[in-house]
Amino acid sequence: MASFGAKNPRFAPIETEPTGTLPTYGEIVTVGSLIKADRSIQYASGKLYANDELAESVDEFVSGAVAMETDDLEDEVAVSIYGAEVASKEVHYKAGQTAPLGGLTYYKVLMRKGVKFFKGYFYPRVKAVMGNDTAQSKSDSITFGTESTTFTLFRCKSDDWCITETFPATEESAVIAWCDSKLGKTEP
């Protein structure tokens, strides 16, 4: 399988976390236009050797992260994902602020054996951490700057940490609707 595209990163803050089910969410925001999303997972691992051979092995999800790069991050989005505050049109990032837990979705464009399709990704419980910022003077060539955010992945109360679904290449609108539905948006 080869991937060659990714789109539509969306976040919504968690409103409720009922035991044994997925969370419910508040207002959905688009994080920006997706440049890339790199997922890394941490596992708790253990191995038991008996009679000079591996007898048991276990790898359990502990946490993970999606390092996301977007073309822009509007002030309203920073307020939603980082917990920043707005006062007189100024966005204030304070040391004691806590980013809200929320849900994160996006989708990838994939190809398998010459057939293109879409795969939606839903992370039901994440927390955003602001990335570093770089400013550069322009010279005889232009280098674009981007925004980076790392979303820490948590297991939610249903025990899910990631849910995916695959859609045919003719159904891009269906994968977008699926992503939004996971964050609680229903079609009119």
Side-chain angles (χ1 to χ4, degrees):
M1 169 183 66
S3 63
F4 59 93
K7 295 181 179 183
N8 207 35
R10 311 264 280 157
F11 174 88
I14 291 175
E15 287 188 341
T16 64
E17 289 190 80
T19 300
T21 64
L22 292 170
T24 61
Y25 302 96
E27 185 177 339
I28 300 171
V29 295
T30 300
V31 180
S33 293
L34 188 56
I35 295 170
K36 71 178 186 171
D38 294 324
R39 182 178 73 188
S40 58
I41 306 299
Q42 294 177 337
Y43 294 97
S45 300
K47 295 181 180 177
L48 172 68
Y49 288 85
N51 288 335
D52 294 336
E53 64 184 24
L54 181 63
E56 298 291 339
S57 176
V58 65
D59 296 292
E60 292 185 0
F61 174 83
V62 174
S63 69
V66 173
M68 188 171 283
E69 187 176 345
T70 57
D71 68 334
D72 192 13
L73 189 75
E74 295 179 6
D75 290 345
E76 301 82 31
V77 176
V79 169
S80 294
I81 69 173
Y82 299 135
E85 299 172 8
V86 176
S88 302
K89 299 191 293 185
E90 296 177 336
V91 180
H92 294 256
Y93 301 90
K94 297 182 180 182
Q97 291 170 333
T98 301
L101 289 167
L104 177 69
T105 63
Y106 60 89
Y107 66 95
K108 291 171 54 173
V109 183
L110 305 170
M111 185 170 286
R112 186 178 290 138
K113 297 181 182 177
V115 178
K116 178 180 164 183
F117 58 97
F118 299 105
K119 189 167 192 173
Y121 289 80
F122 168 49
Y123 301 98
R125 195 168 192 254
V126 303
K127 188 175 186 180
V129 176
M130 182 186 299
N132 295 327
D133 184 41
T134 301
Q136 181 176 332
S137 179
K138 69 179 184 176
S139 60
D140 59 350
S141 65
I142 296 173
T143 302
F144 289 102
T146 59
E147 295 290 332
S148 64
T149 301
T150 299
F151 292 92
T152 302
L153 308 177
F154 299 90
R155 175 185 295 134
C156 68
K157 291 184 179 180
S158 68
D159 209 32
D160 293 293
W161 64 269
C162 179
I163 299 171
T164 65
E165 188 170 334
T166 302
F167 297 82
T170 57
E171 297 182 16
E172 186 169 14
S173 61
V175 71
I176 293 168
W178 179 85
C179 288
D180 285 349
S181 75
K182 291 300 176 193
L183 297 176
K185 181 179 178 184
T186 56
E187 293 300 315

